[in-house]
Amino acid sequence: MPKPFSVGSVVSPKRPARRGERTLAALGEFGLIAQIRRRAPIGRRGGVLLGIGDDAAILDPGGPRLLLVTTDMLVEGVHFALATTSPYALGRKALAVNLSDIAAMGGTPRYALIALAAPPVTPARLLRELYRGVCAEAKRFNVSLVGGDTCAAPAGLTLGLTVLGEVPRRQAVTRAGARPGDRIWVTGTLGGSAAGLAALQRGWGTRRSEDAWVRRAVRRHRLPEPRCAAGRRLAARRIATAMLDLSDGLASDLARLCEESRVGVRIDAGRLPLDPAAQRLAPRLGADALAWAVGGGEDYELVFTSRRPAAAVRAAMPPGVRATEVGIVVEQRHGRTIEGPHGLTRPLIGGYDHFRPNAGKRPRVFA
Ligand code: ADP
Ligand code: MG
């Protein structure tokens, strides 16, 4: 490990962008990733079946199975606030969001590593609880915790998790296999996590007496359920032609699928499986449940495309998981649209970009 920088030595105020110099805010999260991707080296020995650009990298170690690798970071003040989540739930979620990326490839998660940065004043009990959460989630999915890294942080907690998984050869489902005419499906319900976050931001959901819908939405936000069994079954039965998990919001995540598959999509707003808690809470919070479903993010459901009959898709779902058909893949030139009531069609926009946090926030889909 190199000697750490002193805080603030890389970014403003000590090293602000010069006038006219391009900033990360202008580039955007996806602009930055595209730039890194163009320059990313691939070693001469190969073995990289898929590098940057999907939910996980696909590597070929030889043998009947391929290796899947993904990493995701949770940062205090960006992804969570310790005032509104327990360290235990945070630990579970930190692992769950990575398991979700392995699920989205149709794989099985096997091993996890945790990089942790925490200020010296962090209560030891908090970290014990956090690891209790990570370990509980790992046990649920038969995942082994095999390493990590620990260092001091000037302020705030940062958790970086890496998960390795495996998938039988030729079974991995990428974002690139969708073709015009494929139907678009999602698992579970949408918008519940955004509803939970909105409730927490209002100061709701922290008391036991809170009503059942608030509790449900907050739970959806705090403890997402990675769809590992569903992802694996969709891959094994060759039902999904393309798949990814819903981390940034349907609009933003489908945009990634469209880029990789070079297609467009048409979503039918009336078919979106809105989370019942989101529907109940939206009017009370002055929000739009449909906008939560399309732009809210963090539902960690799977969105996938399929050419197979609806009955085959439904039959592939594990017990307790529902799949809903929500639209159709179209040619790229038709773009990405959402069709609302009375045939009203709008561009499918919304979703989260880390360096432009307000860009796609709470769009009114059909105002
Ligand atoms: P997800 O939301 O599924 O975790 P991301 O949008 O975070 O996916 O990442 C998209 C792709 O870009 C992935 O292949 C990821 O590994 C890669 N990626 C993201 N950030 C970086 C980075 N800073 N350097 C290299 N690759 C990155
Ligand atoms: Mg993902």
Side-chain angles (χ1 to χ4, degrees):
M1 281 282 289
K3 207 161 169 242
F5 301 108
S6 69
V7 182
S9 63
V10 190
V11 289
S12 62
K14 286 187 183 161
R15 170 62 175 89
R18 293 183 195 94
R19 201 206 294 262
E21 191 178 24
R22 198 151 187 233
T23 64
L24 200 42
L27 194 56
E29 178 184 350
F30 303 110
L32 174 69
I33 294 175
Q35 199 175 78
I36 294 170
R37 185 177 180 175
R38 280 195 297 276
R39 294 169 193 173
I42 301 285
R44 248 189 308 121
R45 284 189 212 159
V48 181
L49 301 189
L50 185 62
I52 295 174
D54 217 298
D55 294 294
I58 309 177
L59 309 178
D60 185 358
R65 285 164 190 280
L66 300 175
L67 185 63
L68 303 172
V69 188
T70 182
T71 187
D72 250 314
M73 203 150 55
L74 293 183
V75 177
E76 185 176 354
V78 178
H79 299 94
F80 65 91
L82 285 165
T84 57
T85 188
S86 68
Y88 172 81
L90 179 61
R92 280 188 59 180
K93 181 167 178 175
L95 184 60
V97 303
N98 283 278
L99 301 182
S100 176
D101 276 322
I102 298 291
M105 306 299 294
T108 304
R110 296 292 309 274
Y111 313 104
L113 296 98
I114 307 185
L116 169 77
V121 295
T122 309
R125 193 177 54 82
L126 186 153
L127 295 175
R128 227 172 20 245
E129 277 297 291
L130 192 145
Y131 271 81
R132 196 168 68 81
V134 173
C135 294
E137 193 73 358
K139 281 197 191 123
R140 288 180 70 213
F141 290 92
N142 245 320
V143 166
S144 310
L145 178 58
V146 297
D149 193 24
T150 307
C151 76
L157 211 57
T158 299
L159 279 170
L161 271 87
T162 302
V163 170
L164 292 89
E166 61 184 21
V167 66
R169 229 167 242 287
R170 283 182 281 279
Q171 246 181 59
V173 184
T174 70
R175 299 175 178 181
R179 295 291 168 265
D182 290 2
R183 305 286 157 167
I184 302 166
W185 293 78
V186 296
T187 61
T189 62
L190 305 181
S193 176
L197 177 61
L200 286 168
Q201 285 168 340
R202 278 283 180 95
W204 300 358
T206 45
R207 286 192 309 274
R208 284 201 183 282
S209 60
E210 217 84 56
D211 76 62
W213 295 116
V214 173
R215 283 203 306 273
R216 175 184 161 116
V218 166
R219 191 180 163 81
R220 290 281 293 168
H221 181 69
R222 280 191 188 145
L223 289 176
E225 182 64 29
R227 298 299 189 192
C228 291
R232 195 163 43 230
R233 291 164 69 128
L234 288 166
R237 298 182 186 202
R238 317 217 176 262
I239 292 202
T241 51
M243 181 155 64
L244 77 165
D245 69 326
L246 290 169
S247 53
D248 298 337
L250 185 69
S252 174
D253 291 319
L254 270 180
R256 310 277 89 77
L257 184 147
C258 287
E259 280 162 20
E260 298 304 322
S261 293
R262 299 169 191 277
V263 293
V265 287
R266 193 172 70 232
I267 295 295
D268 183 345
R271 289 187 173 211
L272 289 176
L274 301 182
D275 191 279
Q279 284 177 293
R280 261 40 164 237
L281 296 186
R284 288 165 60 187
L285 287 160
D288 177 3
L290 183 59
W292 277 338
V294 169
E298 292 213 288
D299 284 315
Y300 295 103
E301 295 294 347
L302 297 175
V303 57
F304 60 95
T305 55
S306 180
R307 279 160 226 168
R308 301 282 296 277
V313 177
R314 293 208 180 89
M317 287 296 109
V321 183
R322 200 179 46 165
T324 309
E325 191 183 322
V326 299
I328 189 164
V329 177
V330 296
E331 281 178 27
Q332 190 170 35
R333 65 192 159 90
H334 297 309
R336 304 185 302 275
T337 55
I338 180 164
E339 199 172 308
H342 320 299
L344 212 60
T345 298
R346 295 264 182 277
L348 182 66
I349 48 170
Y352 196 77
D353 181 316
H354 269 279
F355 304 107
R356 301 162 171 165
N358 295 316
K361 217 174 180 183
R362 286 185 40 177
R364 287 254 160 206
V365 182
F366 292 100

